Amino acid sequence: MNREEAKTVLLLYRPGLADDADPQIAAALALAKHDQELARWLAEHGARQNALRAAFRQIAAPAGLKEQIISEQAALQKMAARRRRLAFATLAAAVAGLILLAALTFPFRPADDTFTVFRSRMVKIALRGYAMDLATNNAVEIRSYLARNRAPADYVLPASLQPVKMIGCAVQRWQNAKVSMICFHTGKPLPPGQQGDLWLFVVDRASVKSAPETDLPRLAAVNRLVTATWVKDGKLYLLETEGTAPAIRPYL
Amino acid sequence: MSLNVDFESLVALYYQPLYQFAFSLTRVEADACDFTQQTFSIWAAKGHQLKDTSKVKTWLFTTLHREFLGARRRQTRFPHVELENAALDLPVVPPNTASRVDAAHALAALAQLDETFQAPVALFYLQDCSYNEIAEILGVPIGTVKSRLARGLARLHQLLADVPPSKS
């Protein structure tokens, strides 16, 4: 490194700072120790650097700037907090509005463990298709199968239903109770794929809320089926067939 | 410097140097105040994202510089000048220059520098920032910082050499 190169490097040198840790500056400083002209230049340069530092540092912030920054920030924070509160209140109002709207739009749904729901569900099973667990014409086998599967098996068939041909049975579920489903064929012509046209569901009455208490059959039309409901010895009986009341009366 | 320091303490510590830096860039008091205030406002909103507690100072100066650049909407990129090329610009400075320089002269000379050189030179003199810190604040490599400083300081000294003697 020659003198001119050293001057170029030392142009960036600030006395008293960590600049002399820079290897290039350190080398230039070392050269200045043995070069009088460079040493003189360095001394003048150092004085200029210090004077410039001092000159720049004469810049003073306007009075009150600090206080202004702090107070404006506090005001901004207050405004932000107010906005957050407003946003929260708006959100809460929107949620309340949605809840109200939902309550008005979707009417109160009754509990789904009532007799009406039970009857509706058993009608759906008969209408939408079902698979018989046991296909047989033997009434004893059917009763035995239902007993083995812990479904109501001690049912009593009305006298007028006893001659009707049984074709099988299945075990359905209602809440936590088992429902015996006994399928009959009355002898009427059936559409292709349909096996039965008369269905009897038996369940413990206690497991169906609001179930009738009478042993006199009560008729009701549900969908395209007609149903008859009665209670006997703690069991709820639900007989279903397609058509209207005259279609089911012969079996009650 | 702990990040847990409260806002008022941070302002007390840095508002003066930030203002000095902003003023050296803008040379307009109102603008310098705005940039300083804006920097602290950004700190209040985003300062918690800073994980390294030793970077608070650099973060503040970087933010102020970015705000300044954004405000100026400058489109041109800074040219990269190697340090070796700067040797040609070494000024011949009279020995008595130092005694004739005050803040007004220094700022007037700084204002005459190319914008590329103003920020590094201001950080160099105002804050005693290391080359690494200047590089970090300006977002340029350290070699670029040194080359800009070399050219900027050479030009600054040359300008100040032409300053007439102070009446005071």
Side-chain angles (χ1 to χ4, degrees):
Chain A
M1 183 184 293
N2 61 32
R3 185 184 297 155
E4 289 309 306
E5 287 170 343
K7 283 182 182 177
T8 303
V9 169
L10 289 172
L11 197 61
L12 274 62
Y13 175 58
R14 292 166 293 186
L17 296 180
D19 294 350
D20 47 6
D22 184 283
Q24 276 189 308
I25 289 178
L29 287 173
L31 186 64
K33 284 181 183 169
H34 308 291
D35 184 329
Q36 286 191 344
E37 188 190 325
L38 183 59
R40 186 181 52 77
W41 179 90
L42 180 59
E44 290 168 1
H45 176 66
R48 277 195 301 273
Q49 294 287 65
N50 288 334
L52 271 170
R53 281 167 71 190
F56 274 110
R57 287 166 190 227
Q58 287 170 9
I59 300 169
L65 177 61
K66 184 179 80 173
E67 291 73 19
Q68 185 186 338
I69 291 169
I70 291 169
S71 65
E72 290 210 10
Q73 188 56 38
L76 279 175
Q77 282 178 339
K78 270 187 191 170
M79 204 182 299
R82 202 176 303 137
R83 272 202 296 269
R84 276 197 299 273
R85 280 198 298 273
L86 184 65
F88 180 77
T90 307
L91 185 67
V95 169
L98 282 174
I99 291 171
L100 184 66
L101 188 67
L104 293 174
T105 307
F106 305 105
F108 174 72
R109 283 181 58 194
D112 61 358
D113 56 353
T114 60
F115 168 71
T116 308
V117 178
F118 170 78
R119 184 174 58 191
S120 172
R121 197 165 296 169
M122 296 307 127
V123 166
K124 278 182 188 168
I125 288 172
L127 282 177
R128 289 184 181 175
Y130 53 88
M132 286 190 291
D133 299 339
L134 177 67
T136 179
N137 304 122
N138 189 322
V140 177
E141 280 182 23
I142 287 175
R143 197 180 288 275
S144 171
Y145 175 83
L146 294 171
R148 278 201 310 277
N149 287 280
R150 300 177 187 279
D154 51 348
Y155 47 83
V156 178
L157 298 180
S160 50
L161 188 58
Q162 288 175 11
V164 182
K165 181 183 170 188
M166 287 185 182
I167 56 169
C169 69
V171 177
Q172 306 293 348
R173 288 199 164 271
W174 164 253
Q175 307 294 340
N176 292 322
K178 290 188 176 179
V179 182
S180 294
M181 177 185 185
I182 303 142
C183 306
F184 299 87
H185 181 205
T186 59
K188 294 175 190 166
L190 295 174
Q194 187 173 324
Q195 295 172 292
D197 57 359
L198 184 66
W199 303 273
L200 178 68
F201 295 89
V202 185
V203 67
D204 282 339
R205 188 200 167 280
S207 61
V208 183
K209 283 186 186 170
S210 313
E213 296 178 1
T214 174
D215 58 353
L216 290 173
R218 293 168 64 178
L219 303 190
V222 181
N223 208 320
R224 64 172 197 266
L225 299 190
V226 59
T227 67
T229 313
W230 68 94
V231 171
K232 190 167 186 182
D233 299 332
K235 298 280 186 296
L236 175 70
Y237 293 78
L238 175 67
L239 187 66
E240 300 173 357
T241 192
E242 204 158 340
T244 53
I248 204 167
R249 281 213 176 94
Y251 308 109
L252 298 176
Chain B
M1 164 93 229
S2 165
L3 278 182
N4 294 327
V5 71
D6 65 278
F7 184 76
E8 288 188 26
S9 305
L10 193 80
V11 173
L13 202 55
Y14 288 116
Y15 87 98
Q16 178 77 19
L18 282 170
Y19 173 83
Q20 288 175 333
F21 182 45
F23 191 77
S24 70
L25 295 173
T26 62
R27 288 166 297 280
V28 177
E29 183 181 296
D31 290 349
C33 286
D34 284 349
F35 282 125
T36 307
Q37 188 149 353
Q38 179 66 9
T39 301
F40 283 113
S41 178
I42 294 171
W43 169 266
K46 298 181 179 173
H48 64 277
Q49 295 172 1
L50 185 66
K51 303 297 178 196
D52 186 349
T53 56
S54 67
K55 301 282 187 187
V56 174
K57 177 185 170 188
T58 310
W59 190 97
L60 290 169
F61 280 89
T62 303
T63 302
L64 191 147
H65 188 240
R66 281 183 186 158
E67 287 300 298
F68 169 74
L69 290 180
R72 298 293 294 267
R73 299 178 185 281
R74 291 196 307 111
Q75 299 295 324
T76 53
R77 290 180 177 276
F78 292 134
H80 182 111
V81 183
E82 292 301 330
L83 182 57
E84 287 70 24
N85 299 337
L88 298 173
D89 298 330
L90 269 178
V92 178
V93 183
N96 61 343
T97 301
S99 62
R100 293 191 278 120
V101 174
D102 59 15
H105 285 130
L107 284 170
L110 184 68
Q112 292 181 57
L113 296 186
D114 187 287
E115 284 185 346
T116 309
F117 308 131
Q118 290 181 13
V121 169
L123 290 168
F124 182 82
Y125 282 123
L126 278 170
Q127 306 306 327
D128 290 343
C129 290
S130 69
Y131 307 130
N132 278 325
E133 284 177 325
I134 296 173
E136 202 169 328
I137 290 167
L138 302 182
V140 295
I142 192 166
T144 305
V145 166
K146 285 185 175 178
S147 66
R148 286 181 188 172
L149 277 175
R151 292 180 72 86
L153 295 181
R155 178 73 183 132
L156 186 75
H157 288 194
Q158 198 170 35
L159 289 166
L160 288 172
D162 300 335
V163 172
S166 173
K167 288 177 182 172
S168 60

